[in-house]
Amino acid sequence: MKITRKIALTELQTIFYSPVAWLILTVFTFQAAMAFTDVFGMFVRSQDLNYSVGNLTLNLFGGMRGVFTSVQEYLYLYIPLLTMSLMSRELSSGSIKLLYSSPVKNSQIILGKYLSMMIYGAIMLVILSSFVFWSAFTVKDFDLPVALSGMLGLYLLICAYAAIGLFMSSLTSYQVVAAVGTLAVLAALNFISRFGQEYDFVREITYWLSMGGRASESINGLICSEDALYFLIVAGLFLSLSILRLKAIRQKSRWQLSFAKYLSVFALAMLLGYFTSRPTLMAFYDATRTKQRTLTENSQDIIKRADGGLKMTVFVNALDNMMWNGLPRNRKYDMERFAQYVRFKPEMKVKYVYYYTNPGDPTLARRYPGLDDSRIVGQISRSADLDSTMFLPPEEIKKVIDLEPEGYRLTRLMERENGQKTFLRMFDDPQRYPSETEISAALKRLVMELPVVGFATGHGERDFDSDGDRGYFRFSQDKPFRYALINQGFDFSEVHLDAPVPENVSVLVIADQRTPLAPTEQAHLNDYIDRGGNLVILGERRRQEVMNPLVERFGVRFLPGQLVKYASEPPANDPSTGAKARVPQNNFSADLIQARLTPESRELSYIYEIMYNRRNVVTMPGCVALEYTRDKGFDVIPLLVSDTIDSWNELETTDFIDDTVRLNPAIGEVMKSYPTALALTRQVNGKEQRVLIAGDADCLSNGEISMQRARVPAANYNLIMGSFFWMSDNEVPIDARRPAPPDNKLFMTGSGAKVAKWLLMGLFPLLLLAGCLVICLRRRGR
């Protein structure tokens, strides 16, 4: 060890007596300072403009633009310039012969040279730590473990690069050749993951060998044993190869013997890599304060309940436009979405099944005129360099599973070893992949009985199977729609009130009932309410007479008429009646009510709180106002209300296209805010009964959920999520929230950021450059 230290100190003296090492540190400091001050200044400007900033530690050092992320991308340019002379200088000058003739082992020579690079790498980290030190005093509640995790990842990356450069330097006496060779090896290790992904065995090897983005997990706060051991194995591999190289030169071994030794060391490294990449042998540490890189407690609890084996089968249709996500070459990328679940369920098995069936896509016939499905698959396979025989024909896949209810889309079948099954879907939105909420909801189906939503039928109510504008198909069971209740953990059933409501129904929905209930039906509904069943009643204009008997027992009444909203422009008096005519709101129909949530609603559901803070509205066309009392044993909370200005309950006008709405106080029309939705609760049999009553059934319809209006921040789908989260006793949708990171403020203004930029980008690199000049001048004087 003493000899190794002496060699390392000698190498460091040689390095720092050369201007190259100082110039590298100067350029490295300047680039790192530029990356840091750019992102730091961006957040300072955002804060000065009163935009909210958050998760500052991770955003400053990790993420897409953080300084550590930037350093990782260009670090490979510096190390070859340092390592190119480590052994090449000894070989070209002949000093290697002096080392051979001295009582120094090959391993001591290599480890001494490598130790000098480790020390140099530590100096580079000291430079980066200055940005961490700066942030610790300028960022509120700075998350130091995240920064330390990123520095660890970068240091391991430097060490791996240095080992590769040292080996390449031992192969040649030409320093430039060693530098270029190092760059070539690093480029190969960064891009090797793109090769051989079509073959299972090759995919595992090339993906593990790939160095691209290996430090990203650590930079973003998650220390993974696989990545840490990868760097150690790679460093050990190339150090061993360097020692064998010196031994072969020293002993003049035959090339066949040397090659066999190289191959043995490489095979051992691959074997170690295989075992360290097994999910059951991997360990993790989430360095973030709020555990952003870990599943939430709710999801972890679901995983714990899913004891025994778990298998995920991915069915990929060659004629589906999402086929590319499931191709063999994209499997690793596909499975990254489930990495956090594999962490807690490492024994989960994954299988891909490829088939083809026409999903009813009309564009296929236009794109491939005159070709049947099998020929289309053949053409797709040739263009994508695939084997067309890997796709099962329609008759074969039907023997395995019926995917028609899933629309023959890319679908995952989650299956426990006890036979329980459920589907996990892709969605028609920019994100496409299921998030933690949807994945955990699917897993929850496998471990417990989930809420059943019953839709009352028989009296003209809204149909949850109808995909028309007035139907409820989209919010209930439209499988490609992320926020559909079927994707959030609910089951459905049709309920006929001529029989008792089934015991498994957790929430009963009565929407836009057109004819009165028979006495027997009313009795069954009363029995359901008396036993504490949760209930959603959605009224509609011209249905007050029919639906008021349903809500009277709750102390609620649907008022006659309907709500209107007109813009705030100076009213003009009608000379004939004296009524005040108003101009329609932003060219929308007067009967379009943009209801807003009340402050009290935030206590019911966290989703309501998000909507309230974002100032979202719920669009309710043709909405009926509600009136309520508190003498029926229920606690009443107004959930949605209309505007207080230019909004009233219209009693006369029914034609909102050709007629003009006029406020007529003479008949009782009053400009004020009216409740449009109420939340009611009471205790029944030791359980809180929850009832939601709204004056509009269209707000949940297919047409209104899909509607987008200019400058209207509608979030009707969030109303669905929040309401049924509350109605299911906070069981589903899965609450996948994490605490907000507290590092959400910078103690600096724009002028201070400019000073910091000049200090970090100017003064700091100039001090290093001055040190370089002093040493060079002193060496020249000697």
Side-chain angles (χ1 to χ4, degrees):
M1 190 65 185
K2 185 177 180 180
I3 296 176
T4 301
R5 288 200 302 269
K6 285 185 177 181
I7 294 174
L9 291 175
T10 302
E11 189 64 36
L12 282 173
Q13 287 179 345
T14 304
I15 289 174
F16 281 103
Y17 275 134
S18 166
V20 174
W22 289 97
L23 287 174
I24 288 175
L25 283 179
T26 302
V27 175
F28 173 78
T29 303
F30 180 81
Q31 276 196 305
M34 183 169 61
F36 176 74
T37 54
D38 280 350
V39 68
F40 189 87
M42 179 186 68
F43 284 113
V44 169
R45 288 190 296 273
S46 297
Q47 182 173 273
D48 287 346
L49 294 172
N50 293 322
Y51 289 108
S52 60
V53 293
N55 206 11
L56 286 171
T57 306
L58 198 57
N59 287 323
L60 285 173
F61 293 95
M64 296 183 64
R65 301 186 59 181
V67 59
F68 289 168
T69 303
S70 299
V71 168
Q72 178 188 211
E73 292 176 355
Y74 57 71
L75 191 61
Y76 74 96
L77 295 173
Y78 300 113
I79 304 304
L81 298 177
L82 291 166
T83 60
M84 66 181 183
S85 62
L86 289 178
M87 291 305 303
S88 297
R89 184 179 60 248
E90 309 287 356
L91 294 172
S92 62
S93 65
S95 58
I96 190 67
K97 296 179 181 179
L98 295 176
L99 290 173
Y100 286 162
S101 62
S102 62
V104 179
K105 298 179 181 178
N106 296 325
S107 59
Q108 291 173 328
I109 297 173
I110 295 299
L111 292 178
K113 301 278 188 179
Y114 185 66
L115 180 59
S116 68
M117 288 295 97
M118 292 180 66
I119 295 173
Y120 191 93
I123 295 173
M124 298 176 78
L125 283 191
V126 170
I127 294 172
L128 293 177
S129 67
S130 64
F131 306 129
V132 176
F133 183 80
W134 178 276
S135 301
F137 287 95
T138 56
V139 175
K140 173 179 172 287
D141 294 322
F142 181 72
D143 198 354
L144 181 61
V146 170
L148 295 178
S149 171
M151 292 176 67
L152 173 63
L154 288 178
Y155 186 67
L156 291 174
L157 182 62
I158 291 172
C159 292
Y161 282 174
I164 296 170
L166 177 57
F167 171 66
M168 297 307 297
S169 180
S170 69
L171 295 178
T172 178
S173 60
Y174 299 99
Q175 296 185 22
V176 174
V177 174
V180 174
T182 303
L183 286 172
V185 173
L186 294 180
L189 289 177
N190 273 279
F191 293 103
I192 195 172
S193 63
R194 302 183 183 183
F195 299 100
Q197 295 298 298
E198 295 83 2
Y199 312 101
D200 293 344
F201 178 72
V202 178
R203 184 190 309 115
E204 294 297 326
I205 295 176
T206 57
Y207 197 81
W208 182 85
L209 278 174
S210 176
M211 193 174 283
R214 273 286 181 174
S216 296
E217 292 287 3
S218 184
I219 287 173
N220 288 293
L222 181 65
I223 299 175
C224 175
S225 63
E226 180 190 12
D227 293 330
L229 291 174
Y230 167 83
F231 290 122
L232 296 178
I233 292 171
V234 169
L237 168 64
F238 283 95
L239 289 177
S240 300
L241 293 177
S242 301
I243 294 171
L244 291 175
R245 169 62 179 168
L246 288 191
K247 187 175 181 180
I249 297 175
R250 198 169 193 174
Q251 298 179 352
K252 292 183 171 42
S253 304
R254 291 183 300 170
W255 71 269
Q256 295 92 339
L257 180 60
S258 299
F259 181 76
K261 291 179 179 179
Y262 294 154
L263 192 60
S264 299
V265 172
F266 182 79
L268 178 60
M270 294 301 100
L271 184 63
L272 292 174
Y274 173 79
F275 284 109
T276 57
S277 63
R278 297 305 91 193
T280 53
L281 300 177
M282 291 165 61
F284 300 86
Y285 174 70
D286 189 345
T288 60
R289 181 185 285 116
T290 56
K291 303 306 175 188
Q292 302 172 47
R293 306 305 310 282
T294 305
L295 289 177
T296 59
E297 293 293 334
N298 287 339
S299 296
Q300 291 183 44
D301 180 63
I302 294 171
I303 290 288
K304 289 176 183 177
R305 297 189 186 187
D307 53 348
L310 179 64
K311 180 181 178 181
M312 181 171 71
T313 305
V314 186
F315 293 96
V316 184
N317 184 2
L319 301 180
D320 176 30
N321 59 7
M322 293 188 186
M323 181 245 329
W324 309 100
N325 299 86
L327 289 182
R329 66 173 67 103
N330 296 325
R331 282 188 190 178
K332 287 293 184 179
Y333 177 79
D334 183 59
M335 284 305 299
E336 284 179 2
R337 302 298 191 283
F338 302 90
Q340 291 189 356
Y341 288 87
V342 175
R343 171 180 167 185
F344 291 95
K345 193 70 175 176
E347 67 273 19
M348 183 172 72
K349 306 297 182 184
V350 181
K351 179 183 177 182
Y352 285 78
V353 176
Y354 298 92
Y355 72 100
Y356 72 88
T357 296
N358 195 320
D361 184 358
T363 64
L364 288 174
R366 294 196 297 267
R367 289 161 54 200
Y368 306 99
L371 297 182
D372 59 17
D373 292 346
S374 61
R375 291 186 178 181
I376 294 175
V377 171
Q379 186 165 332
I380 292 174
S381 299
R382 285 190 297 272
S383 64
D385 196 21
L386 299 171
D387 181 5
S388 61
T389 60
M390 65 185 286
F391 297 102
L392 297 176
E395 58 273 12
E396 292 297 324
I397 193 64
K398 286 182 179 179
K399 296 178 182 178
V400 178
I401 188 173
D402 181 15
L403 293 173
E404 184 176 0
E406 297 298 318
Y408 298 109
R409 298 162 55 91
L410 194 153
T411 307
R412 305 171 202 274
L413 179 66
M414 313 293 289
E415 183 176 6
R416 293 180 67 187
E417 63 182 8
N418 61 8
Q420 291 178 307
K421 301 178 182 179
T422 191
F423 284 106
L424 180 63
R425 305 171 181 91
M426 302 281 279
F427 304 112
D428 288 340
D429 56 32
Q431 185 179 341
R432 289 212 167 188
Y433 278 91
S435 67
E436 180 180 340
T437 300
E438 290 79 47
I439 298 173
S440 295
L443 292 174
K444 198 166 186 177
R445 286 182 180 275
L446 301 178
V447 299
M448 62 184 298
E449 187 175 341
L450 291 179
V452 176
V453 179
F455 286 84
T457 61
H459 293 271
E461 296 91 344
R462 299 293 175 97
D463 187 357
F464 72 101
D465 280 328
S466 171
D467 56 4
D469 282 349
R470 293 171 55 82
Y472 279 4
F473 176 79
R474 185 160 177 77
F475 99 80
S476 62
Q477 52 183 328
D478 186 8
K479 294 173 181 177
F481 181 50
R482 180 182 303 273
Y483 302 104
L485 296 184
I486 193 172
N487 294 317
Q488 300 297 327
F490 290 90
D491 289 321
F492 304 92
S493 68
E494 206 173 69
V495 175
H496 298 274
L497 290 176
D498 54 1
V501 179
E503 292 290 334
N504 68 333
V505 171
S506 306
V507 182
L508 180 63
V509 178
I510 304 176
D512 194 9
Q513 181 179 305
R514 300 188 178 192
T515 58
L517 296 178
T520 304
E521 294 172 321
Q522 185 66 55
H524 290 151
L525 176 60
N526 291 338
D527 290 342
Y528 174 79
I529 296 172
D530 292 339
R531 77 186 191 211
N534 293 342
L535 185 65
V536 177
I537 299 177
L538 304 175
E540 190 65 29
R541 55 186 172 184
R542 298 190 296 275
R543 305 281 186 265
Q544 292 94 324
E545 184 178 350
V546 173
M547 299 195 69
N548 270 330
L550 299 180
V551 298
E552 284 176 352
R553 66 172 297 172
F554 303 108
V556 179
R557 186 169 76 95
F558 293 112
L559 294 180
Q562 68 179 88
L563 293 172
V564 294
K565 164 69 177 177
Y566 262 36
S568 298
E569 292 195 7
N573 292 330
D574 188 323
S576 60
T577 64
K580 298 177 181 180
R582 301 259 164 178
V583 180
Q585 46 166 341
N586 300 325
N587 297 320
F588 295 131
S589 177
D591 63 343
L592 176 65
I593 299 302
Q594 299 180 33
R596 51 187 173 80
L597 280 93
T598 64
E600 298 85 356
S601 67
R602 296 176 295 178
E603 304 298 325
L604 301 178
S605 168
Y606 76 92
I607 301 177
Y608 290 159
E609 183 176 10
I610 294 172
M611 294 175 64
Y612 181 86
N613 293 336
R614 292 178 178 174
R615 299 184 179 181
N616 290 133
V617 299
V618 176
T619 52
M620 308 179 80
C623 181
V624 176
L626 303 179
E627 182 181 69
Y628 64 93
T629 62
R630 301 180 184 271
D631 57 357
K632 298 294 184 178
F634 286 88
D635 294 326
V636 184
I637 300 175
L639 180 62
L640 294 170
V641 294
S642 62
D643 281 345
T644 56
I645 301 175
D646 295 319
S647 179
W648 65 90
N649 189 34
E650 176 64 35
L651 300 175
E652 295 180 309
T653 306
T654 57
D655 183 356
F656 297 98
I657 297 176
D658 298 322
D659 203 352
T660 301
V661 175
R662 303 176 187 277
L663 177 64
N664 190 355
I667 61 173
E669 294 179 353
V670 180
M671 186 183 297
K672 69 174 186 177
S673 176
Y674 287 88
T676 63
L678 302 172
L680 300 89
T681 62
R682 69 171 179 176
Q683 293 294 321
V684 178
N685 300 323
K687 171 185 173 294
E688 184 178 72
Q689 183 180 31
R690 300 177 175 183
V691 179
L692 191 151
I693 301 174
D696 179 50
D698 287 326
C699 63
L700 304 187
S701 66
N702 302 329
E704 197 58 35
I705 291 176
S706 305
M707 178 69 70
Q708 291 186 350
R709 297 179 177 90
R711 297 180 298 279
V712 177
N716 290 34
Y717 53 86
N718 278 343
L719 175 71
I720 297 168
M721 300 277 283
S723 299
F724 282 90
F725 178 77
W726 180 64
M727 298 298 293
S728 67
D729 300 320
N730 304 344
E731 189 173 327
V732 284
I734 304 298
D735 184 359
R737 289 176 299 162
R738 291 172 175 79
D743 49 344
N744 56 5
K745 184 178 180 181
L746 289 166
F747 302 120
M748 185 167 287
T749 60
S751 58
K754 291 180 181 178
V755 174
K757 184 172 184 177
W758 283 108
L759 287 175
L760 296 175
M761 288 183 59
L763 184 61
F764 203 2
L766 285 176
L767 290 175
L768 291 173
L769 190 60
C772 170
L773 293 174
V774 169
I775 289 178
C776 289
L777 291 174
R778 288 186 61 186
R779 189 178 184 190
R780 192 178 211 184
R782 290 179 180 179

